[in-house]
Structure formats: structure tokens, C-alpha cells
Amino acid sequence: MVGLLCETDFVAKNEDFTSLLEKIATIGLKDGIEKNEGGAKEMIDSVIQKTGENIQLGDAYEVLGEILGIYVHNNKSGVIVSLEGGNAELAKDIAMHITAMKPEYISEDEISEDAKKTMREIFEKENANIDKPEEIKKKMLDGKMTTYFKEKTLMNQAFIKNTEETVGQLLQKAGAKIKEVKRYSI
């Protein structure tokens, strides 16, 4: 996945720019990210001279695996998913889901104690002015925490194509696990 940055939509839609992006991505795929970054400058400079636009190489990622799924939405955001098990269609569906739902975490294990503490403080402040007994406030706080992180965690999110099951259930049913996810948006 390669990001090529420019300052206007007009240039981003220009054939020289899109061809440059394709060349850089192809080199990265063939020769690896490091060689890609080294050789990209000359190619970029020639398109800069032609268009007069400031163009820079953005982030470049290499996602490895036998089962990859790619989803790009409106040429503004894209996700690559690598699965262990499953198939390419499932990987693409998961990539589409991630693009749409923007989970912050893959699983609950990734949620830091700092993130939990921050959200707990926010929800405690919200509950402070509620005229309820403390045990009810605690249940409300626990419910808010559970709901908040469920919505932010990929494995707990309702799958966008079938809200009757979570992404985690979908993967389990297919005998698949997520190896890696890369998301990029402009």
C-alpha cells in the first residue's frame, strides 16, 4: 500500500500522477519497500516538473500473507487485511468492514489501561450528576464502558454485511484469524 501525496484533487486525478502511483506501487511490490522509497524520488521529481505540483511519497506498507483482502473506498481510504485461514472474499469483506466502521482495536487485548482509564473518567463525570444510587451508577458505568469498547473493537463489532453476527464470530465460523491489518486514509 503506497500513499502518494499532492495538494489538489486536480493533480490527484491527473494521468501522470496516477501512472506515477502505479509505477511506485509496482516497484514496491516487486523489489520491496526500501528500494521503492529510494527510487521513487527521481520518478516523483519528473512529475513535479511536469505538473508544477508539490508531490511527496507518503507512507508505504507491505502486508504479507497467502490470503489478502483489499478494499479502497472513493480513492480516499483503503485497508489491506492478511488472514490465516479463510479465503480472499472473506479478507476483502473484513477490509470493507474496517474501512466503513473504523475500529480502533482488533481485539480487547489491544486496549491499553490508559484508554480504559480515560474513558472511565469521562463516563464517571457523565454519571456524577445523575440522581441514582451508587450501585446503579456503577452498573451504568460498566455498561457504558462495555458498549463503548465493543463498538471500537473489530472482533466485537456487528459485521456490516450481516449484523446478526460479530466479525469475531464470522472469522471463527470460517476458521480464520487476522494476521495483519493496515489502514490508510487521506
Side-chain angles (χ1 to χ4, degrees), residues 5 15 24 26 28 33 50 90 128 145 163 173:
L5 310 175
E15 187 177 332
I24 292 171
T26 301
I33 296 297
K50 200 172 189 182
L90 174 62
M145 292 286 291
T163 57
K173 188 170 71 176

Side-chain angles (χ1 to χ4, degrees), residues 12-96:
K13 295 175 183 173
N14 178 298
E15 187 177 332
D16 292 324
F17 183 86
T18 58
S19 294
L20 172 64
L21 178 57
E22 193 171 311
K23 284 179 194 172
I24 292 171
T26 301
I27 291 169
L29 192 59
K30 182 178 161 223
D31 299 333
I33 296 297
E34 291 79 26
K35 285 188 180 179
N36 186 18
E37 290 174 351
K41 182 161 178 18
E42 286 180 31
M43 291 186 288
I44 291 171
D45 286 346
S46 71
V47 175
I48 288 173
Q49 290 173 352
K50 200 172 189 182
T51 63
E53 177 86 4
N54 180 18
I55 299 172
Q56 296 178 3
L57 183 63
D59 293 329
Y61 304 106
E62 184 175 23
V63 177
L64 301 174
E66 290 182 29
I67 301 170
L68 297 175
I70 301 166
Y71 185 79
V72 178
H73 184 71
N74 290 337
N75 290 327
K76 301 243 183 230
S77 60
V79 173
I80 298 176
V81 172
S82 175
L83 294 182
E84 186 177 300
N87 58 43
E89 183 181 346
L90 174 62
K92 182 180 179 182
D93 282 349
I94 300 295
M96 179 188 65

Side-chain angles (χ1 to χ4, degrees), residues 112-122 145 149:
S112 71
E113 289 304 314
D114 283 345
K116 291 177 186 176
K117 181 182 175 197
T118 299
M119 292 316 300
R120 181 170 296 281
E121 289 171 359
I122 289 169
M145 292 286 291
F149 285 111

